[in-house]
PDB file of all heavy atoms in Angstrom:
ATOM      1  N   TYR W 358     -34.990   5.897  90.976  1.00 81.00           N
ATOM      2  CA  TYR W 358     -35.211   4.479  90.709  1.00 81.00           C
ATOM      3  C   TYR W 358     -36.662   4.102  91.025  1.00 81.00           C
ATOM      4  O   TYR W 358     -37.374   3.548  90.184  1.00 81.00           O
ATOM      5  CB  TYR W 358     -34.227   3.662  91.543  1.00 81.00           C
ATOM      6  CG  TYR W 358     -34.412   2.166  91.488  1.00 81.00           C
ATOM      7  CD1 TYR W 358     -33.950   1.432  90.411  1.00 81.00           C
ATOM      8  CD2 TYR W 358     -35.037   1.498  92.535  1.00 81.00           C
ATOM      9  CE1 TYR W 358     -34.113   0.062  90.368  1.00 81.00           C
ATOM     10  CE2 TYR W 358     -35.200   0.121  92.501  1.00 81.00           C
ATOM     11  CZ  TYR W 358     -34.738  -0.598  91.422  1.00 81.00           C
ATOM     12  OH  TYR W 358     -34.896  -1.951  91.386  1.00 81.00           O
ATOM     13  N   ALA W 359     -37.106   4.460  92.227  1.00 81.00           N
ATOM     14  CA  ALA W 359     -38.477   4.142  92.615  1.00 81.00           C
ATOM     15  C   ALA W 359     -39.474   4.841  91.695  1.00 81.00           C
ATOM     16  O   ALA W 359     -40.469   4.259  91.259  1.00 81.00           O
ATOM     17  CB  ALA W 359     -38.728   4.558  94.059  1.00 81.00           C
ATOM     18  N   LEU W 360     -39.168   6.093  91.379  1.00 83.00           N
ATOM     19  CA  LEU W 360     -40.062   6.895  90.548  1.00 83.00           C
ATOM     20  C   LEU W 360     -40.188   6.312  89.144  1.00 83.00           C
ATOM     21  O   LEU W 360     -41.286   6.162  88.606  1.00 83.00           O
ATOM     22  CB  LEU W 360     -39.490   8.315  90.474  1.00 83.00           C
ATOM     23  CG  LEU W 360     -40.420   9.456  90.120  1.00 83.00           C
ATOM     24  CD1 LEU W 360     -41.532   9.554  91.137  1.00 83.00           C
ATOM     25  CD2 LEU W 360     -39.637  10.758  90.074  1.00 83.00           C
ATOM     26  N   THR W 361     -39.026   5.937  88.574  1.00 84.00           N
ATOM     27  CA  THR W 361     -39.032   5.413  87.214  1.00 84.00           C
ATOM     28  C   THR W 361     -39.775   4.092  87.128  1.00 84.00           C
ATOM     29  O   THR W 361     -40.561   3.867  86.212  1.00 84.00           O
ATOM     30  CB  THR W 361     -37.586   5.231  86.723  1.00 84.00           C
ATOM     31  OG1 THR W 361     -36.910   6.470  86.818  1.00 84.00           O
ATOM     32  CG2 THR W 361     -37.557   4.760  85.294  1.00 84.00           C
ATOM     33  N   LEU W 362     -39.547   3.215  88.122  1.00 86.00           N
ATOM     34  CA  LEU W 362     -40.220   1.918  88.068  1.00 86.00           C
ATOM     35  C   LEU W 362     -41.721   2.082  88.224  1.00 86.00           C
ATOM     36  O   LEU W 362     -42.505   1.377  87.583  1.00 86.00           O
ATOM     37  CB  LEU W 362     -39.665   0.997  89.162  1.00 86.00           C
ATOM     38  CG  LEU W 362     -38.215   0.572  88.926  1.00 86.00           C
ATOM     39  CD1 LEU W 362     -37.821  -0.501  89.914  1.00 86.00           C
ATOM     40  CD2 LEU W 362     -37.993   0.090  87.509  1.00 86.00           C
ATOM     41  N   ARG W 363     -42.121   3.026  89.058  1.00 85.00           N
ATOM     42  CA  ARG W 363     -43.543   3.317  89.206  1.00 85.00           C
ATOM     43  C   ARG W 363     -44.123   3.773  87.856  1.00 85.00           C
ATOM     44  O   ARG W 363     -45.185   3.337  87.427  1.00 85.00           O
ATOM     45  CB  ARG W 363     -43.711   4.410  90.261  1.00 85.00           C
ATOM     46  CG  ARG W 363     -45.121   4.828  90.510  1.00 85.00           C
ATOM     47  CD  ARG W 363     -45.833   3.822  91.356  1.00 85.00           C
ATOM     48  NE  ARG W 363     -47.236   4.188  91.450  1.00 85.00           N
ATOM     49  CZ  ARG W 363     -48.141   3.475  92.109  1.00 85.00           C
ATOM     50  NH1 ARG W 363     -47.767   2.385  92.723  1.00 85.00           N
ATOM     51  NH2 ARG W 363     -49.377   3.855  92.155  1.00 85.00           N
ATOM     52  N   GLY W 364     -43.376   4.667  87.186  1.00 85.00           N
ATOM     53  CA  GLY W 364     -43.803   5.129  85.873  1.00 85.00           C
ATOM     54  C   GLY W 364     -43.835   4.007  84.859  1.00 85.00           C
ATOM     55  O   GLY W 364     -44.735   3.931  84.022  1.00 85.00           O
ATOM     56  N   LEU W 365     -42.870   3.112  84.967  1.00 89.00           N
ATOM     57  CA  LEU W 365     -42.792   1.966  84.060  1.00 89.00           C
ATOM     58  C   LEU W 365     -44.051   1.109  84.175  1.00 89.00           C
ATOM     59  O   LEU W 365     -44.628   0.697  83.166  1.00 89.00           O
ATOM     60  CB  LEU W 365     -41.550   1.146  84.409  1.00 89.00           C
ATOM     61  CG  LEU W 365     -41.128   0.042  83.447  1.00 89.00           C
ATOM     62  CD1 LEU W 365     -40.834   0.611  82.085  1.00 89.00           C
ATOM     63  CD2 LEU W 365     -39.900  -0.679  83.984  1.00 89.00           C
ATOM     64  N   GLN W 366     -44.485   0.874  85.431  1.00 87.00           N
ATOM     65  CA  GLN W 366     -45.726   0.119  85.634  1.00 87.00           C
ATOM     66  C   GLN W 366     -46.872   0.740  84.855  1.00 87.00           C
ATOM     67  O   GLN W 366     -47.557   0.079  84.077  1.00 87.00           O
ATOM     68  CB  GLN W 366     -46.124   0.130  87.116  1.00 87.00           C
ATOM     69  CG  GLN W 366     -45.332  -0.780  88.002  1.00 87.00           C
ATOM     70  CD  GLN W 366     -45.797  -0.652  89.453  1.00 87.00           C
ATOM     71  OE1 GLN W 366     -46.831  -0.060  89.742  1.00 87.00           O
ATOM     72  NE2 GLN W 366     -45.020  -1.197  90.361  1.00 87.00           N
ATOM     73  N   LYS W 367     -47.073   2.042  85.071  1.00 86.00           N
ATOM     74  CA  LYS W 367     -48.195   2.729  84.429  1.00 86.00           C
ATOM     75  C   LYS W 367     -48.060   2.686  82.918  1.00 86.00           C
ATOM     76  O   LYS W 367     -49.007   2.378  82.216  1.00 86.00           O
ATOM     77  CB  LYS W 367     -48.249   4.195  84.896  1.00 86.00           C
ATOM     78  CG  LYS W 367     -49.018   4.405  86.149  1.00 86.00           C
ATOM     79  CD  LYS W 367     -50.511   4.326  85.946  1.00 86.00           C
ATOM     80  CE  LYS W 367     -51.159   3.529  87.061  1.00 86.00           C
ATOM     81  NZ  LYS W 367     -50.759   4.029  88.391  1.00 86.00           N
ATOM     82  N   SER W 368     -46.857   2.969  82.411  1.00 88.00           N
ATOM     83  CA  SER W 368     -46.693   3.019  80.960  1.00 88.00           C
ATOM     84  C   SER W 368     -46.965   1.664  80.332  1.00 88.00           C
ATOM     85  O   SER W 368     -47.620   1.575  79.290  1.00 88.00           O
ATOM     86  CB  SER W 368     -45.287   3.497  80.606  1.00 88.00           C
ATOM     87  OG  SER W 368     -45.131   4.838  80.989  1.00 88.00           O
ATOM     88  N   LEU W 369     -46.502   0.598  80.971  1.00 89.00           N
ATOM     89  CA  LEU W 369     -46.738  -0.748  80.433  1.00 89.00           C
ATOM     90  C   LEU W 369     -48.229  -1.062  80.409  1.00 89.00           C
ATOM     91  O   LEU W 369     -48.773  -1.516  79.400  1.00 89.00           O
ATOM     92  CB  LEU W 369     -45.996  -1.790  81.273  1.00 89.00           C
ATOM     93  CG  LEU W 369     -44.494  -1.932  81.023  1.00 89.00           C
ATOM     94  CD1 LEU W 369     -43.860  -2.812  82.084  1.00 89.00           C
ATOM     95  CD2 LEU W 369     -44.239  -2.507  79.654  1.00 89.00           C
ATOM     96  N   VAL W 370     -48.889  -0.793  81.519  1.00 90.00           N
ATOM     97  CA  VAL W 370     -50.316  -1.119  81.606  1.00 90.00           C
ATOM     98  C   VAL W 370     -51.104  -0.300  80.585  1.00 90.00           C
ATOM     99  O   VAL W 370     -51.940  -0.830  79.847  1.00 90.00           O
ATOM    100  CB  VAL W 370     -50.837  -0.862  83.035  1.00 90.00           C
ATOM    101  CG1 VAL W 370     -52.343  -0.953  83.069  1.00 90.00           C
ATOM    102  CG2 VAL W 370     -50.235  -1.863  83.995  1.00 90.00           C
ATOM    103  N   ILE W 371     -50.814   0.999  80.528  1.00 89.00           N
ATOM    104  CA  ILE W 371     -51.537   1.857  79.588  1.00 89.00           C
ATOM    105  C   ILE W 371     -51.295   1.387  78.160  1.00 89.00           C
ATOM    106  O   ILE W 371     -52.232   1.246  77.368  1.00 89.00           O
ATOM    107  CB  ILE W 371     -51.113   3.333  79.762  1.00 89.00           C
ATOM    108  CG1 ILE W 371     -51.641   3.870  81.084  1.00 89.00           C
ATOM    109  CG2 ILE W 371     -51.638   4.177  78.610  1.00 89.00           C
ATOM    110  CD1 ILE W 371     -51.209   5.275  81.395  1.00 89.00           C
ATOM    111  N   GLY W 372     -50.026   1.105  77.835  1.00 89.00           N
ATOM    112  CA  GLY W 372     -49.712   0.676  76.483  1.00 89.00           C
ATOM    113  C   GLY W 372     -50.477  -0.573  76.093  1.00 89.00           C
ATOM    114  O   GLY W 372     -51.100  -0.625  75.024  1.00 89.00           O
ATOM    115  N   ILE W 373     -50.480  -1.571  76.957  1.00 90.00           N
ATOM    116  CA  ILE W 373     -51.117  -2.831  76.594  1.00 90.00           C
ATOM    117  C   ILE W 373     -52.632  -2.674  76.500  1.00 90.00           C
ATOM    118  O   ILE W 373     -53.265  -3.157  75.563  1.00 90.00           O
ATOM    119  CB  ILE W 373     -50.713  -3.918  77.603  1.00 90.00           C
ATOM    120  CG1 ILE W 373     -49.275  -4.338  77.252  1.00 90.00           C
ATOM    121  CG2 ILE W 373     -51.634  -5.104  77.546  1.00 90.00           C
ATOM    122  CD1 ILE W 373     -48.579  -5.083  78.303  1.00 90.00           C
TER     123      ILE W 373
END
Side-chain angles (χ1 to χ4, degrees):
Chain W
Y358 174 79
L360 202 60
T361 303
L362 292 189
R363 179 77 186 178
L365 190 60
Q366 284 179 12
K367 273 285 137 52
S368 293
L369 282 170
V370 170
I371 290 176
I373 284 164

